[in-house]
Amino acid sequence: MSSWLQFWAGSDSVGRTVALALLLMSVSSWTLILWRSVTLTRARRSLARALPLFWAAPDWDSARSQAQALDAERILLPLIDAGRAPLPAGSLGEGAGNEARLTRQLRDALHQSVARLQFGQVLLASVGATAPFVGLFGTVWGVYQALLGLGAGGLPSIDRIAGPVGEALVMTAAGLAVAIPAVLAYNWFGKRVAACEAELEGFAHDLREFLKSQR
């Protein structure tokens, strides 16, 4: 912490901008990590409970009501509603066959649900990819400023170089500290999203076959 404060006190506007950028990346990624940990865990549990109850229900309305009560993240309900959603009169989609219309509606609903599950993945990937380079830039800039200060103050010595350079290296460590949690969370969330997506794809397929048999 003291090295960080010393770097902040001795840096210029560029160095402080880099430090603030890393701070913003860290706050954003950790906020997203904590929030998505809760929502994705809840989505997995909702699917595990709602799907068996949906197929065990005696009729469509009961099945929808039970699924809606358990679908906290609203990833299952769009698929259920898409199966019975009417098309606007006179539209191009209305002219297609019933199976083609049903497939398209379920596919669009599936994409909508998966997009909800994948929310925030781009931010985590961006932070994980860019934070180390932002920190490295802060280090290079800090070393450059330190060398300028040493050159203006007389002959340099190892004691005069070690302090400013060591403070500048804190920015590289900060960049890695921001990037590593984001990368780990991105990979962990990716596995959870893939598992939920597989469940939703299977449900969409089963729902399509069921609705085809009812028409």
Side-chain angles (χ1 to χ4, degrees):
M1 180 63 70
S2 60
S3 297
W4 177 265
L5 294 177
Q6 290 173 6
F7 173 83
W8 179 266
S11 63
D12 58 0
S13 59
V14 175
R16 293 183 178 183
T17 299
V18 172
L20 289 176
L22 288 176
L23 179 61
L24 179 61
M25 287 182 180
S26 179
V27 172
S28 300
S29 61
W30 273 109
T31 300
L32 186 63
I33 288 170
L34 295 175
W35 176 54
R36 295 301 288 160
S37 296
V38 173
T39 56
L40 286 177
T41 300
R42 190 163 54 191
R44 287 288 306 277
R45 291 176 179 173
S46 297
L47 287 175
R49 296 172 59 193
L51 291 179
L53 289 178
F54 178 87
W55 293 117
D59 55 62
W60 180 268
D61 292 335
S62 299
R64 186 188 184 281
S65 297
Q66 293 184 19
Q68 184 178 12
L70 295 172
D71 189 19
E73 300 304 317
R74 293 298 182 265
I75 57 174
L76 190 59
L77 200 61
L79 289 168
I80 297 173
D81 290 340
R84 293 290 180 90
L87 288 172
S91 64
L92 290 175
E94 189 183 27
N98 288 335
E99 291 188 17
R101 291 164 54 187
L102 177 60
T103 299
R104 183 175 62 254
Q105 289 174 176
L106 288 174
R107 183 185 63 236
D108 293 343
L110 177 62
H111 290 168
Q112 175 186 344
S113 297
V114 172
R116 289 178 64 88
L117 290 171
Q118 292 177 338
F119 180 81
Q121 289 291 89
V122 173
L123 175 62
L124 291 177
S126 300
V127 170
T130 59
F133 298 102
V134 174
L136 182 60
F137 174 77
T139 293
V140 172
W141 186 260
V143 170
Y144 170 70
Q145 293 296 106
L147 292 178
L148 286 181
L150 290 173
L155 294 176
S157 64
I158 189 64
D159 294 333
R160 295 182 61 198
I161 293 175
V165 171
E167 294 168 10
L169 289 174
V170 171
M171 294 300 291
T172 298
L176 292 175
V178 173
I180 291 173
V183 172
L184 293 177
Y186 175 83
N187 293 332
W188 184 56
F189 292 161
K191 292 182 64 175
R192 286 182 169 264
V193 169
C196 291
E197 184 178 356
E199 293 279 356
L200 290 172
E201 287 180 351
F203 176 70
H205 177 269
D206 295 341
L207 187 61
R208 178 178 179 273
E209 296 302 314
F210 169 76
L211 292 172
K212 281 170 54 180
S213 67
Q214 299 296 306
R215 296 183 178 182

